Amino acid sequence: MFIELAYKSLHNFWRYLLGSLLVILASTIGQIPLTVAVLFKMGLSKMDNPEEMQSSMENLDQNTIMGVLDKNLTLFLILISFVFALGGLLFVLKFIHQQRFKDIITTRKQFDWGRVWFSFGMIAIYTVITVLLSYFFAPEDMQVSFNLVPFLILAVIAVLFIPIQTSVEEFVFRGYLMQGFGVLAKNRWFPLLLTSFIFGGLHYFNPEISAMGDIVMVFYFGTGLILGIMTLMDEGMELALGYHAANNLITALLVTADWTAFQTDSIFRDISDPRADILDVLPVFIIYPIFLGILAYKYKWTGWKEKLFGAVNEPESPKLEDHFVAD
């Protein structure tokens, strides 16, 4: 089973703590190009006023960073940090855990691209429909901001790098940490809940939270939870990879706002009041279960209680071929 794949590697919990620190370090190194570019641009624009430049640097935050450089350049430099994080994770798996990369992704003998594309298509269709309905029913809240050349540049950057960003998050949370906490707790519910809370908590400093309010955290926690359920029920993260990639990629191409983490040259700009209420997080309780129902029906999921709440036991044999599921 998925979490038990960790037993094929060196799985002492201190290795997961060390590995997490190394991945964070790699991601931080990857953020240096963006920081240098922003500081360089601010320095050039305020070279004649050192006091103003120093004050701006001291007050550097995400909103400031997003407004200094060209949007496409900013997006590219943000996403580059995930390439570094991926390199850090691969290093950790090879040298800290001596674990195959595939073993944090799926129990299937071969990675199932069909699952990725089905999940991607499901979320892509849903996202396109909801954005178009929003524009149709409330055109005063959605401004068409399409500009061909910047959009084409955005499309290239987004298609190449956003799947890397979303995949790295899945590899870390639904793969690496899910297995690490599962081996530690010897059950499935603890890693499912903890990785969901960590995933959601790391989004707390996104500009969406300050603009829309803390209630939006329900969306982030709920998203982490549904991705974790997909992974455990399907014995692999292919569905979660497709879901996450479609959500971020299609959204980045279709709609942006001044208060989002990704400010892009998208087709639409949301100019509505960003303050959220309980209605804005209802999809977590209505649409998410529908998504799970569709996937459960298509892939014939069974054994919900065992897969989500059952024990995690070390196999008697170090080989886990018997745990591979059918393609």
Side-chain angles (χ1 to χ4, degrees), residues 195-210:
T195 56
S196 300
F197 276 108
I198 295 175
F199 175 79
L202 289 177
H203 290 82
Y204 185 75
F205 299 101
N206 280 14
E208 293 95 333
I209 304 303
S210 58

Side-chain angles (χ1 to χ4, degrees), residues 171-217:
F171 296 153
V172 171
F173 289 101
R174 258 59 67 179
Y176 184 68
L177 292 179
M178 183 80 80
Q179 291 183 353
F181 288 129
V183 168
L184 175 68
K186 306 296 184 184
N187 62 51
R188 304 179 193 284
W189 64 265
F190 179 79
L192 173 61
L193 292 179
L194 187 56
T195 56
S196 300
F197 276 108
I198 295 175
F199 175 79
L202 289 177
H203 290 82
Y204 185 75
F205 299 101
N206 280 14
E208 293 95 333
I209 304 303
S210 58
M212 302 181 72
D214 290 348
I215 193 172
V216 182
M217 292 302 296

Side-chain angles (χ1 to χ4, degrees), residues 18-241:
L18 175 60
S20 298
L21 290 175
L22 292 176
V23 172
I24 293 171
L25 175 61
S27 177
T28 302
I29 293 173
Q31 296 170 20
I32 292 176
L34 174 62
T35 304
V36 170
V38 169
L39 294 179
F40 181 74
K41 181 69 176 291
M42 293 175 65
L44 286 180
S45 64
K46 299 179 179 179
M47 191 70 72
D48 296 332
N49 192 337
E51 292 183 358
E52 184 180 356
M53 183 178 71
Q54 181 178 356
S55 175
S56 297
M57 291 181 179
E58 290 174 353
N59 295 309
L60 197 63
D61 57 19
Q62 189 165 356
N63 289 328
T64 302
I65 290 173
M66 295 300 294
V68 173
L69 303 173
D70 171 78
K71 290 179 182 178
N72 282 326
L73 177 59
T74 301
L75 179 64
F76 171 74
L77 292 174
I78 288 174
L79 295 176
I80 280 294
S81 67
F82 290 92
V83 177
F84 281 76
L86 178 58
L89 179 61
L90 293 174
F91 175 88
V92 166
L93 293 175
K94 181 175 179 61
F95 295 102
I96 305 297
H97 295 276
Q98 298 179 19
Q99 184 176 21
R100 292 191 306 170
F101 183 41
K102 189 186 79 68
D103 284 346
I104 69 162
I105 300 176
T106 185
T107 58
R108 281 166 274 279
K109 294 183 178 181
Q110 299 292 330
F111 184 82
D112 190 345
W113 282 102
R115 278 173 155 82
V116 175
W117 288 117
F118 180 83
S119 182
F120 184 98
M122 179 179 69
I123 302 306
I125 292 171
Y126 169 78
T127 304
V128 170
I129 290 174
T130 53
V131 170
L132 292 179
L133 287 176
S134 297
Y135 179 67
F136 179 79
F137 287 107
E140 69 279 4
D141 292 338
M142 300 283 283
Q143 181 183 74
V144 177
S145 58
F146 179 74
N147 192 330
L148 180 60
V149 174
F151 178 79
L152 291 177
I153 296 173
L154 164 65
V156 172
I157 294 172
V159 169
L160 290 177
F161 289 98
I162 286 182
I164 295 176
Q165 174 245 326
T166 57
S167 295
V168 168
E169 292 186 2
E170 292 308 303
F171 296 153
V172 171
F173 289 101
R174 258 59 67 179
Y176 184 68
L177 292 179
M178 183 80 80
Q179 291 183 353
F181 288 129
V183 168
L184 175 68
K186 306 296 184 184
N187 62 51
R188 304 179 193 284
W189 64 265
F190 179 79
L192 173 61
L193 292 179
L194 187 56
T195 56
S196 300
F197 276 108
I198 295 175
F199 175 79
L202 289 177
H203 290 82
Y204 185 75
F205 299 101
N206 280 14
E208 293 95 333
I209 304 303
S210 58
M212 302 181 72
D214 290 348
I215 193 172
V216 182
M217 292 302 296
V218 173
F219 168 78
Y220 289 115
F221 290 138
T223 300
L225 189 62
I226 188 177
L227 293 171
I229 292 173
M230 287 180 191
T231 300
L232 292 180
M233 289 304 304
D234 204 51
E235 300 289 4
M237 66 170 64
E238 290 99 333
L239 295 174
L241 287 168

Side-chain angles (χ1 to χ4, degrees), residues 245-263:
N247 181 77
N248 287 29
L249 175 59
I250 305 304
T251 300
L253 293 174
L254 282 183
V255 62
T256 189
D258 293 335
W259 36 266
T260 58
F262 283 172
Q263 295 180 25

